[in-house]
Structures are given as C-alpha cells and as structure tokens.
Amino acid sequence: MTNPTPRHLPDATSTTIRPYKLGHVALRVFNLKRSRDWYFKVLEASATFENEMACFLTYDDEHHRIALIERADLGVSGDAHQGLEHISLTYSSLGDLLATYRRLSQQGIQPYWTINHGPTISFYFKDPDGNRIELQHDVFERSEDLDAFFDGGAYIENFIGITFDPEQMIARFEAGEPFETITARPELPAGKTPWDMYIP
C-alpha cells in the first residue's frame, strides 16, 4: 500500500471561492402533512426522505430543494416560529468548503454547528440577525450512490448526522486521506441518539 500524497487547501485569502449553487431552503412548518401535500401539488415534487418530523422534497436532480421540518414547539420559544429554518449554499469541492471555513475562522466568523449529514458535509453559521446559513459540500457525485445511501437505512436510524471537528477534517484532507473515508459518515457513538448530534 502506498502512502497518501499530501494535498493543500486552496488559499481562500488570495483566491475568491464562492458557492456554485443554492442547495436548498429549509422551512419550519406547523403541520408537516399539510405542507408536504401543498408543496407536492405546487412544485409537482417528490420526497427523497421523510419521517414523522421532516420531509425532503425535490423536483430535479438535487437530493432536496425544500426541507420541511415540523416543530412541535412552534410559538413556544423565541427560536420556534414558522418560516425559515436555514438556507443552504453548495461548494463544488470539499477543499473549497474547508478553505472557506478556514478563511472565515481567521476573520472571527465561526460555525455554531459542523455535521456530517451523510449526503453532505455541512457548516452552519448564524448571520448578524440570527438567520441560519448552511455551507455544504455534496458527498455523492452520482445520484445512484445517494439513492443507495438512503436505501441502506442509515438515514432512517439517524437523519441528523454526526458532528465533527473541522480542524481534524482539514488535517485528514491535507494528509491526503481518500475523500471517501474523510466524508464517510461514522456510526452514532454508543449510548447516543441523533438528537445528541443536534445543535440549534
């Protein structure tokens, strides 16, 4: 077995790195079935994943364009209101995403949540008004691989994901570790639930 070839992150301080597409919009809803049915009709969409709390809808080749999240606590706390949950922006490579994290970190802008959802590696930020912005990289290049991930049952067991340390991921990236092992979503730690991975 040969040693991996080290790689370097792009220099996001001298090169402009931007998202290449708007990934999805996530909405908090009061009644998931009602909202799901409405978006199905309006967009002629289909569900790529759904359970009793969330429904991911698509109308094209994206794994989801609209995410609907039912919140039982809507109206109870300041954070629990109907409307925007977050906006997602997609980077074309893992290196671009990690380089953007490094650039923002050097400017004092830190994510409040870093998570390997399975289909994406995601960094969540809050803007000055508290709006949530997800910067992500799509793990699967082929739709067949994404379908296999969903069909494998891992998302039913844990539709939230596994948190990770960004600096450790950068070290793995720069050490030349294969992308498929860097981005592979680990199992839930023993004794943990998906909600232990969630940071609001």
Side-chain angles (χ1 to χ4, degrees), residues 2 121 168:
T2 60
I121 302 297
Q168 288 179 1

Side-chain angles (χ1 to χ4, degrees), residues 1-9 94-95 98 116 121 137 164-186:
M1 180 176 171
T2 60
N3 290 330
T5 303
R7 64 172 78 90
H8 301 284
L9 286 181
L94 180 61
L98 295 175
N116 182 338
I121 302 297
H137 167 65
F164 66 89
D165 180 320
E167 295 299 333
Q168 288 179 1
M169 185 171 284
I170 287 174
R172 294 169 67 189
F173 179 96
E174 292 185 324
E177 183 177 331
F179 290 117
E180 56 269 20
T181 61
I182 297 173
T183 60
R185 193 179 81 172

Side-chain angles (χ1 to χ4, degrees), residues 20-21 23 62-63 90-94 97 118-121 136-141 183:
Y20 81 100
K21 67 179 179 180
E62 183 72 7
H63 44 79
T90 305
Y91 284 77
S92 60
S93 71
L94 180 61
L97 177 64
T120 64
I121 302 297
Q136 70 174 25
H137 167 65
D138 283 326
V139 170
F140 302 109
E141 293 182 7
T183 60

Side-chain angles (χ1 to χ4, degrees), residues 137-148:
H137 167 65
D138 283 326
V139 170
F140 302 109
E141 293 182 7
R142 303 180 322 143
S143 59
E144 309 90 84
D145 296 331
L146 176 66
D147 292 343

Side-chain angles (χ1 to χ4, degrees), residues 10-11 26 33 44 55 104 119 124 135 139 144 165 180 186 196:
D11 182 358
K33 183 182 184 313
E44 297 193 47
C55 182
L104 294 174
Y124 286 82
L135 304 184
V139 170
E144 309 90 84
D165 180 320
E180 56 269 20
D196 294 316

